[in-house]
Amino acid sequence: MHQVKARINLAALKHNLDVVKELAPQSRVVSVIKANAYGHGITAVAKALNNSDAFAVARLDEALSLREQGVTKALFLLEGIYEQDDYTLCSKYNFIPAIHCLQQFQWLQDYFNKNKLSRLSYWLKLDTGMHRLGLSAEQLHQILTILESHSELVRPEGFMSHFACADEMVSPVNKQQLELFTRLCKVSFKVQRSMANSAAIIAFADSHFDWVRPGIMLYGVSPFAVEAELSAIQHPVLQPVMTLESELIAIKTLNKGDCIGYGATWCCPEDMTIGVVGIGYGDGYPRHARSGTPVSIQGVSVPLVGRVSMDMITIDLQALYQQSITPMIGDKVTLWGKGLPVERVAQQSDTIAYELLCQITQRVTIEYE
Ligand SMILES: *Cc1c(COP(=O)(O)O)cnc(C)c1O
């Protein structure tokens, strides 16, 4: 039976967590497994990464499903909660919400007024320049004033913030954010600090603080926008975790001038042999992948030609014949994974690897090995 498979290498995942720990030996690690662990399957990934000190997800429902699946570690909610009652769930299930706005803090005060003995840990999320979620310096000041006058209120366990440009090492924004964060963390009580995502874990050792928050690097993918930056620094070798695979479902010989696929956008420059692979944007392969995007078959890199359709792509098989390899229907085709970085496919599709990984659809069978 024909199936598109995403094979997940759990040993590679664990290796990448070890790389994080080597890079940030003084910090605890909260492994970021939001968005179904970047498409890798949240429960299996959480179980494989049980050497993490905690996990982080974006949303409450992701955290609830992890608890249902028997994951017991502390869980950070990076967006915090959405309505006051959600704090009851946080307390019950040991979720650690971020508080990124005054409304969430007001709800917290109301919650503690009604539940005086509740043991609920929370973090404050500070806006140091990303200007997405987070408390401004002024709002932080308001909260600190309230905390000072209400000694019964539980203090935040830590402060976190997020880099806007960590994937561009040379951006001056990084230093500005780091300085502001360091300054805002100087408060009258003890707080733990967390700032670094994958790019900062690799590039900015002075941003590691008490907790690092790796996401994409756990999945063996470079966080850097510019490939040169990745090799410019002493980068430990990450191992790709996901291999996306399908099969050759047809081979056809076409004549010079025959055009292929929707829009007839790509026409044969000579007589040639074309392969049809059973994968398309209905599986999550990017529709915007350009002709020339590499695909691997029998270990040989061959180019995509013509538009990506919902269930199929077409590839130029000439390079195989040049190496005296005769492709056959049923041959395995690798779309990304070991030897074919998803970063390269992303570049060819005007997107980032994060999106390609998250975009894998229900039709793809995830297999763990
Ligand atoms: C997603 C996310 C991370 C992980 O980022 P990567 O670039 O994947 O390492 C860390 N912190 C926050 C707040 C996030 O939203």
Side-chain angles (χ1 to χ4, degrees):
M1 192 172 62
H2 166 66
Q3 276 181 336
V4 180
K5 283 184 201 159
R7 290 194 291 115
I8 306 298
N9 181 341
L10 295 174
L13 193 65
K14 292 178 194 185
H15 163 85
N16 296 334
L17 177 59
D18 289 341
V19 172
V20 171
K21 292 183 172 209
E22 276 166 37
L23 285 169
Q26 314 295 334
S27 308
R28 277 186 278 177
V29 180
V30 48
S31 293
V32 181
I33 55 174
K34 62 195 178 187
N36 199 26
Y38 293 47
H40 293 66
I42 191 166
T43 306
V45 166
K47 291 190 171 156
L49 292 179
N50 66 349
N51 257 342
S52 315
D53 297 292
F55 294 117
V57 292
R59 305 198 182 139
L60 187 60
D61 60 333
E62 298 176 302
L64 285 169
S65 91
L66 280 169
R67 286 287 181 263
E68 272 165 27
Q69 299 299 318
V71 175
T72 54
K73 246 180 229 312
L75 285 173
F76 285 76
L77 304 180
L78 297 172
E79 288 180 1
I81 52 96
Y82 309 95
E83 54 189 23
Q84 192 187 320
D85 283 351
D86 292 343
Y87 283 126
T88 312
L89 290 173
C90 291
S91 166
K92 178 168 174 201
Y93 291 106
N94 187 24
F95 300 153
I96 304 167
I99 287 185
H100 63 70
C101 65
L102 292 177
Q103 175 69 78
Q104 287 181 334
F105 188 71
Q106 181 62 55
W107 286 334
L108 186 82
Q109 284 177 270
D110 297 343
Y111 171 81
F112 276 124
N113 279 336
K114 286 190 210 141
N115 304 273
K116 295 222 159 28
L117 295 175
S118 175
R119 281 215 309 246
L120 174 66
S121 306
Y122 67 99
W123 282 56
L124 297 183
K125 184 164 186 164
L126 312 181
D127 180 6
T128 54
M130 175 96 170
H131 299 141
R132 193 178 57 181
L133 293 183
L135 301 156
S136 65
E138 170 63 33
Q139 290 171 330
L140 172 63
H141 183 72
Q142 287 179 41
I143 288 179
L144 293 174
T145 309
I146 293 169
L147 286 173
E148 262 159 45
S149 57
H150 291 76
S151 56
E152 79 286 359
L153 263 180
V154 175
R155 283 353 184 204
E157 202 167 79
F159 288 2
M160 69 168 87
S161 190
H162 196 50
F163 285 111
C165 307
D167 60 336
E168 299 160 48
M169 287 169 64
V170 294
S171 169
V173 176
N174 296 316
K175 195 156 171 273
Q176 289 160 16
Q177 284 194 259
L178 194 56
E179 279 170 10
L180 179 57
F181 182 66
T182 309
R183 192 147 51 78
L184 293 177
C185 286
K186 291 193 174 122
V187 293
S188 63
F189 51 93
K190 193 166 162 34
V191 286
Q192 297 172 49
R193 296 178 292 178
S194 177
M195 183 91 197
N197 60 357
S198 298
I201 290 168
I202 297 169
F204 311 125
D206 54 353
S207 72
H208 290 173
F209 297 115
D210 303 294
W211 288 83
V212 291
R213 307 192 305 266
I216 196 78
M217 71 184 289
L218 293 172
Y219 309 100
V221 174
S222 161
F224 293 104
V226 187
E227 215 169 311
E229 288 196 336
L230 182 60
S231 45
I233 49 177
Q234 289 281 307
H235 179 260
V237 182
L238 297 171
Q239 295 175 1
V241 175
M242 182 192 291
T243 299
L244 184 65
E245 259 178 22
S246 185
E247 296 170 7
L248 210 50
I249 61 169
I251 297 169
K252 47 203 297 161
T253 44
L254 297 178
N255 298 314
K256 179 175 176 174
D258 288 345
C259 298
I260 297 172
Y262 287 117
T265 55
W266 195 90
C267 306
C268 300
E270 57 195 322
D271 295 352
M272 57 196 294
T273 307
I274 292 294
V276 182
V277 184
I279 191 165
Y281 62 80
D283 305 289
Y285 191 82
R287 199 185 82 89
H288 294 287
R290 285 188 287 272
S291 289
T293 302
V295 164
S296 171
I297 174 165
Q298 308 257 22
V300 178
S301 176
V302 300
L304 175 81
V305 292
R307 274 195 195 150
V308 172
S309 340
M310 187 183 289
D311 314 300
M312 285 169 263
I313 58 172
T314 38
I315 59 178
D316 170 3
L317 295 173
Q318 317 247 74
L320 287 169
Y321 292 104
Q322 277 158 14
Q323 298 192 27
S324 308
I325 300 170
T326 307
M328 311 271 276
I329 288 178
D331 278 359
K332 252 188 221 159
V333 179
T334 301
L335 289 311
W336 61 66
K338 209 171 171 197
L340 175 47
V342 63
E343 295 93 314
R344 191 158 311 144
V345 181
Q347 245 170 11
Q348 290 284 328
S349 316
D350 295 320
T351 185
I352 52 174
Y354 294 77
E355 187 187 34
L356 296 189
L357 297 175
C358 288
Q359 193 162 271
I360 295 294
T361 68
Q362 294 283 333
R363 194 161 70 170
V364 177
T365 308
I366 300 188
E367 279 184 9
Y368 297 94
E369 53 189 37

